[in-house]
Amino acid sequence: MARVYNFAAGPATLPEAVLKEAADEMLDYRGAGLGVMEMSHRSKEYDKIIKTAEADLRELMGIPDNYKVLFLQGGASQQFAMIPMNFAKNGVADYIVTGQWAKKAYQEAGRFITANKVATSEDKTFSYIPDCSDLPIDENADYVYICQNNTIYGTKFPVLPNTKGKDLISDQSSMFLSEPVNVSDFGMIYAGAQKNVGPAGVVIAIIREDLIPEETPILTPTMLKYKTHADNDSLYNTPNAYGIYICGKVFKWIADMGGLEAMKAHNEKKAAILYNFLDNSDMFKGTVEPGSRSLMNVPFVTGDDELNAKFIAEATKAGFVQLKGHRTVGGMRASIYNAMPIEGVQKLVEFMGRFENENK
């Protein structure tokens, strides 16, 4: 059976070259006589895998030496608690709520500290990014938090917020490695790997070293302290060894594709094809204000629930899968991450055009 075009929001499509290489190494990793899934995380073979992955990520992103790179578990959702537990020395943080995941992070932080909602776009179902040029930043805030690309709602910060000198923490799960990033603009970047980098189960955290406390301001379990993982090179306990191995292969694939500048151009081209179609269609409409559009996640609707359902069913039969939108937006959503080839978006648009003509 031919591979489908997978537009899932995550776990999402991975580069075929990476999957084929991993398949070739499944039973015997480079003469070791066993696969990476069976390998001790303390072995010399695995030590090289995880160290190479970190070195390649540092080179791709230009990560400064004073930032730690951590491979963690627990999903991005576990970071919602770890961040306030580790960083809220004053017990205060400011949150910009632009979607479901930022809202959950804000609510979770409120269990431990005073979390201030300093801006939100809830009034229009998170269909835009609010003006963040002059926010009411709390003078005692330990950090300002954003979800930079909103997977469900298809929005992305066009510019970073003015934090008035406070450290910025960004959840980049659904845009990670999709374009160049100036790491020094952030106190912390983190991402769940399952959208744009690897399989589910790995979280990558990039944290400026001076932010990692010797002792957390809140009584915190050992496994939820960043220092635990930073001091042990992400090997305090058994990591998601196979997931990190796949992430490492994706880092090399991105480098082979030309790095993050090339990835950005690739993603802009794909997004333009889909947005141009939506902007000129009589049937399909995007749900996001143009100035806030994501390159990674594109929600759209027909305005008719029955027609939406018919489109999803016919698209699935035609090999375009996982296009159903999130329940809070409805309609459809195409996630067009790094590994989605341009021809996948071109063929989707051709299918949408035919569907529109046949269902006028």
Side-chain angles (χ1 to χ4, degrees):
M1 180 181 174
R3 278 175 64 78
V4 296
Y5 289 109
N6 177 13
F7 292 93
T13 192
L14 285 166
E16 279 196 35
V18 167
L19 295 175
K20 287 175 179 175
E21 193 174 306
D24 288 343
E25 296 174 347
M26 178 62 74
L27 297 179
D28 181 7
Y29 177 75
R30 301 183 185 182
L34 75 170
V36 175
M37 263 193 253
E38 310 164 280
M39 191 178 284
S40 167
H41 62 296
R42 306 290 182 197
S43 67
K44 67 179 191 303
E45 291 91 353
Y46 193 75
D47 188 62
K48 185 175 181 182
I49 288 170
I50 192 169
K51 284 180 176 170
T52 300
E54 178 178 338
D56 288 346
L57 180 61
R58 284 185 176 278
E59 186 170 348
L60 266 182
M61 295 183 71
I63 299 173
D65 290 343
N66 65 323
Y67 281 74
K68 288 284 189 183
V69 173
L70 307 178
F71 296 101
L72 306 173
Q73 299 179 69
S77 296
Q78 186 160 286
Q79 302 305 301
F80 300 167
M82 284 181 73
I83 287 165
M85 282 179 163
N86 282 265
F87 299 144
K89 296 172 187 172
N90 297 327
V92 180
D94 290 346
Y95 282 71
I96 300 170
V97 178
T98 53
Q100 198 89 340
W101 303 115
K103 185 175 183 178
K104 288 189 175 188
Y106 161 72
Q107 290 172 334
E108 185 73 3
R111 300 181 64 219
F112 306 103
I113 63 170
T114 299
N116 302 313
K117 188 192 298 182
V118 293
T120 185
S121 51
E122 286 175 275
D123 61 324
K124 294 183 180 177
T125 323
F126 299 121
S127 60
Y128 71 102
I129 298 295
D131 179 5
C132 297
S133 60
D134 187 19
L135 299 169
I137 302 295
D138 192 307
E139 63 179 17
N140 292 315
D142 291 292
Y143 58 85
V144 176
Y145 180 101
I146 61 172
C147 182
Q148 203 166 334
N149 187 89
N150 295 281
T151 322
I152 292 172
Y153 301 96
T155 60
K156 175 180 176 283
F157 278 75
V159 293
L160 294 177
N162 176 6
T163 65
K164 300 181 180 176
K166 303 297 183 182
D167 289 310
L168 180 62
I169 294 178
S170 176
D171 175 356
Q172 292 188 3
S173 292
S174 53
M175 63 170 283
F176 193 60
L177 301 184
S178 65
E179 60 183 59
V181 172
N182 182 13
V183 175
S184 297
D185 288 340
F186 303 88
M188 175 182 179
I189 294 168
Y190 76 92
Q194 73 276 12
K195 299 177 184 297
N196 216 17
V197 185
V202 181
V203 177
I204 298 166
I206 302 163
I207 310 173
R208 206 176 66 235
E209 285 184 12
D210 65 283
L211 289 180
I212 300 173
E214 287 291 324
E215 291 295 335
T216 55
I218 297 168
L219 184 62
T220 302
T222 301
M223 281 294 291
L224 299 185
K225 295 178 180 179
Y226 291 120
K227 184 171 171 53
T228 299
H229 304 285
D231 286 352
N232 291 279
D233 298 325
S234 302
L235 291 166
Y236 174 77
N237 67 324
T238 308
N240 185 332
Y242 194 79
I244 295 166
Y245 155 77
I246 296 292
C247 290
K249 288 194 178 297
V250 173
F251 301 156
K252 287 191 183 296
W253 176 80
I254 292 172
D256 290 344
M257 292 285 284
L260 296 185
E261 288 287 356
M263 273 293 116
K264 182 182 181 185
H266 170 69
N267 291 323
E268 286 175 339
K269 189 180 290 187
K270 285 185 296 184
I273 292 167
L274 186 47
Y275 284 125
N276 286 342
F277 176 84
L278 292 171
D279 289 343
N280 291 286
S281 171
D282 293 326
M283 176 181 287
F284 298 99
K285 298 296 173 192
T287 61
V288 174
E289 293 185 8
S292 299
R293 285 172 167 175
S294 166
L295 294 179
M296 298 283 97
N297 311 101
V298 184
F300 55 96
V301 295
T302 65
D304 181 282
D305 288 344
E306 286 187 15
L307 198 57
N308 290 343
K310 184 180 181 185
F311 172 79
I312 292 164
E314 291 189 11
T316 301
K317 282 183 186 174
F320 306 101
V321 305
Q322 300 291 333
L323 281 166
K324 187 175 182 180
H326 192 270
R327 63 186 178 278
T328 58
V329 179
M332 287 69 67
R333 172 182 52 181
S335 293
I336 49 176
Y337 298 125
N338 287 350
M340 173 58 65
I342 285 173
E343 58 264 28
V345 180
Q346 290 170 332
K347 288 181 179 180
L348 173 64
V349 164
E350 288 168 10
F351 176 82
M352 292 169 73
R354 289 195 301 274
F355 182 90
E356 182 168 344
N357 289 331
E358 292 165 5
N359 291 274
K360 283 181 178 176

